[in-house]
Amino acid sequence: MEHKVKDWVREYPLNKGLLAMMYSPNVCRKSALRLLNSYIHRAKGLLAALEETGYSHHARHFTPRQLELVLLHLGEPM
């Protein structure tokens, strides 16, 4: 199943903290980021795919392509 990224996300890099809060809205931002990083490492093939796009765990933003990969592996946040 292919996920489509909203048009506004395609125009701008998405802040990693914002995406983390979308996946874990009931925790503080710092904890949400830790959870997102954990999800990225546990999802089979996601980290490798992200690294092929130039992703670094120090990055503060996801490119549209990186976001598509996250959505493909983790599903859309609630």
Side-chain angles (χ1 to χ4, degrees), residues 1-66:
M1 175 195 273
E2 183 178 333
H3 291 272
K4 300 239 181 203
V5 181
K6 294 180 181 175
D7 291 336
W8 62 269
V9 174
R10 289 195 182 282
E11 294 180 22
Y12 303 101
L14 181 65
N15 180 280
K16 192 174 181 181
L18 175 62
L19 182 63
M21 292 298 297
M22 292 169 76
Y23 277 106
S24 303
N26 297 323
V27 299
C28 71
R29 185 176 187 274
K30 188 173 182 178
S31 294
L33 280 165
R34 276 194 294 246
L35 285 169
L36 180 60
N37 284 326
S38 173
Y39 300 155
I40 289 171
H41 282 84
R42 289 187 302 179
K44 187 175 182 177
L46 177 54
L47 182 58
L50 287 171
E51 287 174 343
E52 288 178 11
T53 68
Y55 172 79
S56 164
H57 71 277
H58 297 293
R60 294 180 185 228
H61 295 88
F62 284 111
T63 65
R65 177 64 185 136
Q66 291 167 348

